[in-house]
Amino acid sequence: MAAILEIQRLAKHSWNQDNRESPYLFEEVSAVIQQPECISVIGPSGQGKSTLLRTLALLDMPDQGDISYAGISYREKDPRLWRKEICYVAQQAVMLPGSVEDNLGTASRLHGEVYDVQLAEQLLEETLLAGLDRKKNASELSGGEKQRIALIRSLLLRPAVLLLDEVTASLDNISARAVEHMLQQWQAREGTTMIWVTHDLEQAARTSSRTWFMSGGTLLEDQQTIDFFRQPATEAGRQFVRFLASEAAL
Ligand SMILES: Nc1ncnc2c1ncn2[C@@H]1O[C@H](COP(=O)(O)OP(=O)(O)O)[C@@H](O)[C@H]1O
Ligand SMILES: [Mg+2]
């Protein structure tokens, strides 16, 4: 394994200064990420998990610190090329105008690549969308369908790093498991590094070998998943695991 991403003392200022002890949404986030690797990101909402992922994809810019991809700082790279390698998949999928087919093909064409229709079909099948009308207007899809189309659209670009933001959150259990399985197979085949925000502890345990726990305005714990779930190192981590476990039991 080789280091693919290196995050050094990354910080993002907070917009809302009221009621906050710190001027940062998060600060002092440092980590070295190997290829291939799957990292789960968990933590209470509002901790900046989505913002961290968006910052890693340069959809938001860092306020302090540095991010390097394959040893080169983001400051020295064209953000467009960066985003082709490090791709963020949002929780709320945004469809491009046009049909399902247009949505799947456009991203590849915009990036100057051939649209691999065979691969798109395979991924539709693996995410239980084989029966979806390819001519249907994408704006008419359900939230869960949009989420899967957005994910496939990103995979077709074959990024080196996939940043997944609760990508199974609006799916029923069966579809969520299908997507999870598809992503695991994709990782095994393509060697893609994945950083995956989830609220599902079992999903985190199934898919990742490493877990990041964001709390208190920073990356509070960075541990092997098995160690984190067995025994978080911090009181905040322990409380959060107990909270999620009690929610899952409901
Ligand atoms: N610089 C910033 N960028 C994004 N969100 C910010 C920022 N500063 C403060 N916020 C607030 O912090 C929260 C960030 O949440 P988000 O990144 O979505 O966290 P999470 O994904 O952990 O729920 C939001 O409520 C947002 O309004
Ligand atoms: Mg979020």
Side-chain angles (χ1 to χ4, degrees), residues 133-176:
D133 177 5
R134 316 291 190 259
K135 303 282 181 220
K136 190 168 178 171
N137 197 304
S139 63
E140 291 166 15
L141 301 177
S142 73
E145 288 168 341
K146 283 182 185 164
Q147 207 168 31
R148 281 174 280 175
I149 295 298
L151 178 59
I152 295 171
R153 201 170 59 186
S154 299
L155 289 176
L156 289 170
L157 298 176
R158 289 201 155 89
V161 181
L162 256 182
L163 307 171
L164 304 168
D165 201 348
E166 302 193 41
V167 288
T168 60
S170 54
L171 301 181
D172 61 89
N173 278 346
I174 293 175
S175 308

Side-chain angles (χ1 to χ4, degrees), residues 14-22:
S14 177
W15 300 324
N16 30 347
Q17 295 296 316
D18 351 331
N19 306 327
R20 280 189 163 261
E21 287 155 22
S22 158

Side-chain angles (χ1 to χ4, degrees), residues 199-213:
H199 274 115
D200 181 343
L201 278 191
E202 290 180 4
Q203 181 172 68
R206 279 193 300 269
T207 56
S208 67
S209 53
R210 181 174 171 189
T211 293
W212 288 357
F213 174 56

Side-chain angles (χ1 to χ4, degrees), residues 4-127:
I4 184 164
L5 263 190
E6 207 164 338
I7 308 171
Q8 285 165 333
R9 311 191 68 180
L10 194 66
K12 197 76 196 152
H13 291 298
S14 177
W15 300 324
N16 30 347
Q17 295 296 316
D18 351 331
N19 306 327
R20 280 189 163 261
E21 287 155 22
S22 158
Y24 297 102
L25 173 61
F26 59 76
E27 62 176 322
E28 296 288 338
V29 173
S30 298
V32 177
I33 297 129
Q34 311 290 335
Q35 177 148 41
E37 186 168 28
C38 186
I39 301 173
S40 293
V41 186
I42 63 171
S45 55
Q47 286 299 314
K49 301 183 296 296
S50 296
T51 309
L52 175 63
L53 258 52
R54 290 178 52 81
T55 308
L56 295 180
L58 299 187
L59 297 168
D60 277 333
M61 294 314 273
D63 289 327
Q64 285 173 25
D66 202 0
I67 316 167
S68 304
Y69 170 73
I72 300 170
S73 164
Y74 79 93
R75 294 186 176 88
E76 292 157 31
K77 273 196 91 146
D78 176 349
R80 270 197 37 178
L81 294 178
W82 182 277
R83 288 184 206 119
K84 200 178 155 203
E85 297 297 340
I86 303 166
C87 193
Y88 174 75
V89 185
Q91 182 180 359
Q92 299 291 341
V94 178
M95 293 288 97
L96 303 167
S99 65
V100 168
E101 210 166 46
D102 295 333
N103 265 272
L104 293 173
T106 304
S108 308
R109 286 187 204 107
L110 280 179
H111 281 95
E113 309 225 330
V114 181
Y115 170 44
D116 187 341
V117 66
Q118 229 174 329
L119 178 59
E121 287 298 324
Q122 182 193 330
L123 296 173
L124 285 166
E125 194 169 315
E126 287 175 5
T127 54

